[in-house]
Amino acid sequence: MAGYVQDRWFKEEKTPEGKTVRVKTNRHGLGMRYRARYFGPDGSEKSESFPDRQKGRADKWLSRIEADMDTGNYVDPKAGLITFGEYAEKYLGGLTGDQVSQEVVRRRIRLHAVPYLRTRPMGSFKPEHVRAWLNKLQLAVPNGTYRRAIYDSVSALFNAAVDDKVLTANPCHAQSVKAPVPEDRLIVPWPEERVVAVRAGLPRRYEATVDAGGGCGLRAAAG
């Protein structure tokens, strides 16, 4: 076992005759009876309490902890108590890459995810919570392409939480969660008059970019 289950209502004592007997502790009948205890990978002791008549649950909880440690899937139960809002700020504060891309991700998460998910503990997320959020997001953001971009940013946050051992799986990856479908965009080429006008309004050193863009059908990348 990864630890042991302590019965806080009874303890063992030796009699003068050398026999071991169970006697009531001063906590008998008060509070949770069983405390499942183990040492985490960092060496610190962890515990979870269970009520009277629930020793079987305590044993199963410890067995699951041991199995997770053996498979490398262990997540400290208390790590998942951090709320989405708290973890989001940590995640956004550690973003890498160019500043423009970072700001885009921050805006998506702070405006469209944190207001809905802020107070939920990370370890409690299930696919149903993501589905409920996506339903609200559809009402707030009609454009499917932008909605998909928001969803991808939130999914990346959950991926980071899995890597950080805050939760065991990304709820966005569940089969029942359907990612928003980007909308097809109709690209309308500029008419010749607009191309000529834009070219005329640019400094001479930039005129060739209009020639290349207009002649090859290029367009600005979507941000």
Side-chain angles (χ1 to χ4, degrees):
M1 293 290 291
Y4 63 96
V5 176
Q6 174 191 13
D7 185 345
R8 292 187 285 184
W9 288 8
F10 289 91
K11 62 181 179 179
E12 293 185 347
E13 288 186 353
K14 289 280 189 180
T15 68
E17 295 77 22
K19 295 178 61 177
T20 300
V21 295
R22 294 176 73 227
V23 297
K24 295 179 180 179
T25 69
N26 56 7
R27 294 179 54 92
H28 186 272
L30 301 175
M32 295 288 191
R33 177 173 178 178
Y34 299 105
R35 175 182 287 171
R37 312 172 79 160
Y38 70 97
F39 288 94
D42 61 355
S44 62
E45 186 180 63
K46 318 288 183 181
S47 66
E48 183 75 11
S49 296
F50 298 84
D52 186 27
R53 303 178 185 275
Q54 295 294 319
K55 186 176 185 299
R57 279 183 56 204
D59 288 334
K60 289 181 180 179
W61 186 83
L62 272 181
S63 295
R64 187 169 64 251
I65 292 291
E66 183 179 47
D68 288 343
M69 286 185 176
D70 289 342
T71 59
N73 294 322
Y74 171 76
V75 172
D76 183 348
K78 289 184 171 55
L81 296 179
I82 185 173
T83 65
F84 182 91
E86 292 167 339
Y87 184 79
E89 287 307 310
K90 288 187 176 183
Y91 171 76
L92 295 176
L95 289 178
T96 57
D98 66 273
Q99 291 298 318
V100 173
S101 297
Q102 290 182 39
E103 188 54 38
V104 168
V105 173
R106 291 190 184 99
R107 185 166 60 251
R108 291 171 183 167
I109 291 177
R110 285 172 175 161
L111 291 180
H112 301 291
V114 170
Y116 300 98
L117 308 173
R118 177 190 291 112
T119 59
R120 175 163 293 281
M122 291 292 288
S124 71
F125 269 96
K126 297 180 180 179
E128 64 180 283
H129 303 125
V130 177
R131 295 195 300 268
W133 166 65
L134 286 174
N135 285 336
K136 294 178 181 178
L137 187 65
Q138 187 170 8
L139 297 175
V141 182
N143 184 276
T145 301
Y146 185 44
R147 219 164 48 244
R148 176 57 180 265
I150 297 168
Y151 168 86
D152 288 342
S153 293
V154 171
S155 182
L157 180 151
F158 279 121
N159 280 338
V162 173
D163 292 341
D164 291 339
K165 301 296 184 182
V166 172
L167 70 168
T168 57
N170 184 341
C172 293
H173 292 173
Q175 290 187 350
S176 62
V177 175
K178 305 301 180 184
V181 179
E183 298 175 1
D184 293 331
R185 296 180 62 187
L186 179 63
I187 305 302
V188 180
W190 286 359
E192 181 179 354
E193 296 78 10
R194 185 175 183 183
V195 173
V196 171
V198 170
R199 189 180 192 280
L202 291 174
R204 185 176 182 82
R205 64 180 180 276
Y206 294 133
E207 290 179 352
T209 61
V210 178
D211 296 337
C216 299
L218 303 179
R219 62 185 179 87

